[in-house]
Amino acid sequence: PILYALDAQLTLASTNGRRTLNIRDFLTGPGRKDLRPDEILSEISFSWGEFNRFYYRKLGPRKANAIAKVSFFGAASIFDEQVRDIRLAFGAVGPTVVRSTAGEALLTDVSTATGRTRVPQVMDHYAALLSPIDDVRSTADYRRTVALELLQDFLRKELVQ
């Protein structure tokens, strides 16, 4: 989720040359990626921008080396009570990482007071986007509930300050 939120660019190299893809174009679905047989991932680049608020949570069956049941990353650029930029990304609640620039736009270039009033709309927007599955690690209901609680926690902590 962090790399999605920060619009990471991946450089793929082969004997035929190099190409660069945005991470969302590289990871195409569960277990699928746009990687040719002769390519290797040679570089990941991204910018931290002017973000001054960060939030990351990963829930798994144990702290080390566990596949996430749910993960969430939020970053915000908030200066003088103005939300200049915000990025939100969820892992393990869809076929790929879930990020919505439309959802982020609801909170971008507004005062923190306006942002607080938009939290219910933002929550509804993301609730409609999340499409987790039931599997041996967790249930879809658990994943959806926890993902939305993590989003709400981030927004509450960062927009209320």
Side-chain angles (χ1 to χ4, degrees):
I2 295 169
L3 296 176
Y4 270 74
L6 299 176
D7 291 322
Q9 298 293 307
L10 309 181
T11 301
L12 308 173
S14 73
T15 55
N16 297 321
R18 303 166 76 80
R19 67 184 176 119
T20 302
L21 294 174
N22 186 286
I23 192 162
R24 72 180 169 274
D25 298 322
F26 177 70
L27 297 172
T28 59
R32 295 189 319 265
K33 57 196 158 299
D34 183 1
L35 183 68
R36 297 173 186 151
D38 64 336
E39 290 180 319
I40 61 168
L41 174 61
S42 63
E43 183 179 340
I44 300 173
S45 60
F46 58 88
S47 170
W48 287 108
E50 293 186 6
F51 296 110
N52 57 356
R53 313 278 172 85
F54 299 94
Y55 181 101
Y56 175 72
R57 298 291 184 277
K58 173 191 159 215
L59 283 84
R62 58 180 197 243
K63 291 185 182 208
N65 299 324
I67 296 173
K69 289 182 181 187
V70 177
S71 59
F72 172 78
F73 176 74
S77 175
I78 300 175
F79 295 95
D80 299 323
E81 297 191 29
Q82 285 290 122
V83 182
R84 295 185 183 167
D85 194 1
I86 194 162
R87 307 286 178 87
L88 309 166
F90 301 83
V93 291
T96 61
V97 170
V98 174
R99 179 174 173 218
S100 169
T101 55
E104 294 165 354
L106 294 169
L107 297 168
T108 302
D109 292 326
V110 300
S111 69
T112 53
T114 299
R116 284 192 293 274
T117 66
R118 291 185 181 175
V119 168
Q121 185 181 1
V122 171
M123 297 299 294
D124 289 344
H125 176 83
Y126 283 97
L129 291 178
L130 305 181
S131 59
I133 60 167
D134 290 316
D135 66 12
V136 296
R137 292 179 287 138
S138 191
T139 66
D141 286 340
Y142 173 83
R143 286 184 167 120
R144 178 178 286 103
T145 300
V146 170
L148 292 171
E149 286 177 5
L150 293 173
L151 171 61
Q152 187 169 26
D153 189 49
F154 170 67
L155 296 175
R156 184 175 44 248
K157 287 180 178 175
E158 298 310 327
L159 295 178
V160 172
Q161 290 187 2

